[in-house]
Amino acid sequence: MLNINQLNLLGWQSFFQQQLDIDEWYNSVPVRVVEQHRNRLVVDSGSDTFQLPVTEKVSECVVGDWLLLNENHDVNRVFERKSYFARRAAGSKLEKQAITANVDVAFVLCSLNDDFNLNRIERYLALVNEAGCEPVVILTKADLANDGLEKREQVQNLSSMLRVEVIDCHDVTLVNQLSDWLKPQTSIVLLGSSGVGKSTLSNTLAQTQQKTSAIREQDSKGRHTTTGRYLLKLASGAVLIDTPGMRELQLSDVTAGLEQTFSEIEALASSCKFVNCSHSNEPKCAIQQAISDGSLTERRFLNYQKLRKENQFNTASLRERRAHDKSLTKMYKRVQSQAVKFKKLNE
């Protein structure tokens, strides 16, 4: 029978419990993926941690996924996901790269040095909103900056509903500052570029000592410290998923996330005189009027257009790749079937 108290420490929720039938309740073992490696997954049952080989059944699993095992630790199935983070793979690959799954809150980290970038924050917010998680923007390195409050206001202006925190990742009182999210059974993911303080924040919250690296002095850019994804249990009862820094975050399949992130622009566009308004030089364009009166910044509108085009292009490219792969698979099966028939005819 399941030990709910132990599972709760891994972020177990009623969403997953409702996916079990009576027999599974007594004869199966739910586990959560806490580490992901090329050929193996590290999973935790609440009472034990062990490794599973990466087979076809779990080839798409990421840190945060829940698996249902039998008593011999064979995988019966993967639980339906509550949320899922993915991006287009870096470089020229036409495929998606999974980031994590079953997250409730996303801490989007951005440092207060030269890394500070509103465009990048909006990019991350689109990803988080698409996943259906609560975004919290964490501005780090407050101990090294004297304009933290000014930059906090800039981020807050993106949305009045957005929660923004300015922190020093080394501050041991962070648990109190972030207590609204560090609640039992809550899964939190850390997102952001290299060197913004994800590993330092993780160390402080989890009271562990992962390796950290200093930023490069010449350009304030970060160095990769975390090279994998790991799930850590916190004393508060929450769990924390640390991820490698992402220098390139290509968006795809995030239309709903973009609409939510730029909701005021979507609303303005619907008020333009012309339905097909390009928002450039048409008369009675609500967006250009908002830019003129200062209620919308040109920077935000241009970034909205850029991310929209990027999402449309990447989404179409990935769909074409999937369609091509599907067609190729059908052709292989057809050729194999014909080869079997030919062999039988000649026996």
Side-chain angles (χ1 to χ4, degrees):
M1 186 172 178
L2 305 188
N3 188 323
I4 298 300
N5 291 331
Q6 290 181 337
L7 291 174
N8 287 346
L9 296 176
L10 291 166
W12 182 257
Q13 298 176 358
S14 60
F15 176 85
F16 308 107
Q17 191 162 311
Q18 291 168 2
Q19 298 179 42
L20 297 172
D21 61 31
I22 296 298
D23 289 337
E24 290 172 336
W25 180 271
Y26 289 96
N27 301 316
S28 300
V29 183
V31 296
R32 195 167 195 189
V33 179
V34 296
E35 290 183 30
Q36 178 187 4
H37 303 276
R38 177 171 297 181
N39 299 315
R40 60 190 171 88
L41 300 175
V42 179
V43 298
D44 193 333
S45 66
S47 59
D48 190 18
T49 301
F50 50 93
Q51 298 183 15
L52 296 175
V54 174
T55 62
E56 185 176 353
K57 187 174 286 188
V58 297
S59 61
E60 301 297 323
C61 287
V62 293
V63 171
D65 267 319
W66 285 93
L67 313 178
L68 191 66
L69 312 183
N70 61 26
E71 294 175 341
N72 297 321
H73 288 178
D74 297 319
V75 179
N76 285 339
R77 61 185 172 88
V78 180
F79 280 81
E80 178 188 346
R81 288 165 169 161
K82 184 179 181 182
S83 62
Y84 176 62
F85 285 79
R87 62 171 177 172
R88 174 174 166 170
S92 58
K93 291 183 179 180
L94 288 178
E95 58 187 39
K96 269 198 165 187
Q97 180 186 25
I99 299 173
T100 187
N102 298 318
V103 169
D104 304 298
V105 180
F107 285 172
V108 178
L109 275 67
C110 180
S111 61
L112 291 166
N113 56 18
D114 293 343
D115 177 78
F116 183 80
N117 188 304
L118 291 175
N119 286 3
R120 188 185 301 120
I121 291 174
E122 289 169 339
R123 181 180 289 269
Y124 276 102
L125 291 178
L127 181 72
V128 175
N129 287 326
E130 181 69 29
C133 302
E134 179 186 359
V136 182
V137 177
I138 307 290
L139 301 179
T140 64
K141 305 187 188 295
D143 54 320
L144 303 177
N146 54 16
D147 58 350
L149 294 179
E150 177 186 338
K151 288 179 177 175
R152 182 188 187 281
E153 185 177 358
Q154 291 180 40
V155 178
Q156 190 66 74
N157 286 337
L158 301 179
S159 171
S160 59
M161 303 298 292
L162 184 63
R163 293 290 298 272
V164 186
E165 298 289 336
V166 178
I167 68 168
D168 170 5
C169 290
H170 296 92
D171 188 351
V172 293
T173 66
L174 272 177
V175 173
N176 297 326
Q177 185 176 350
L178 303 178
S179 61
D180 284 352
W181 303 282
L182 304 179
K183 296 177 180 178
Q185 298 171 259
T186 301
S187 295
I188 304 163
V189 65
L190 304 182
L191 301 173
S193 306
S194 300
V196 296
K198 294 190 302 299
S199 294
T200 304
L201 176 58
S202 177
N203 287 344
T204 301
L205 294 179
Q207 297 181 340
T208 57
Q209 288 301 315
Q210 295 185 74
K211 182 181 177 182
T212 60
S213 300
I215 60 173
R216 297 197 301 259
E217 293 183 1
Q218 66 268 30
D219 58 5
S220 296
K221 298 294 183 181
R223 299 184 176 96
H224 283 288
T225 299
T226 302
T227 56
R229 298 177 178 88
Y230 304 91
L231 185 147
L232 304 169
K233 301 176 189 177
L234 304 185
S236 67
V239 297
L240 195 66
I241 299 174
D242 194 4
T243 64
M246 290 182 279
R247 294 198 184 281
E248 182 180 349
L249 179 62
Q250 285 280 316
L251 300 180
S252 66
D253 290 317
V254 295
T255 301
L258 284 171
E259 290 175 354
Q260 184 175 346
T261 302
F262 297 94
S263 58
E264 85 284 16
I265 297 180
E266 293 283 337
L268 285 169
S270 66
S271 301
C272 292
K273 179 179 180 180
F274 301 104
V275 176
N276 60 344
C277 183
S278 67
H279 315 303
S280 53
N281 54 10
E282 291 90 342
K284 295 186 179 180
C285 171
I287 286 179
Q288 288 302 320
Q289 179 59 44
I291 293 174
S292 297
D293 65 28
S295 58
L296 174 67
T297 65
E298 186 175 25
R299 177 212 64 79
R300 182 162 168 81
F301 174 61
L302 292 176
N303 195 41
Y304 162 77
Q305 287 187 309
K306 175 185 176 181
L307 296 182
R308 235 181 121 208
K309 290 178 181 177
E310 176 185 309
N311 179 62
Q312 290 171 346
F313 176 80
N314 286 340
T315 301
S317 298
L318 288 169
R319 284 177 181 169
E320 288 174 4
R321 168 65 184 273
R322 286 193 289 266
H324 173 74
D325 289 347
K326 187 175 181 180
S327 176
L328 204 59
T329 300
K330 286 183 178 179
M331 185 193 72
Y332 289 151
K333 288 182 177 179
R334 186 169 62 252
V335 170
Q336 288 175 345
S337 176
Q338 291 173 347
V340 170
K341 290 180 181 178
F342 181 78
K343 182 177 179 181
K344 287 181 178 180
L345 289 173
N346 289 272
E347 285 178 347

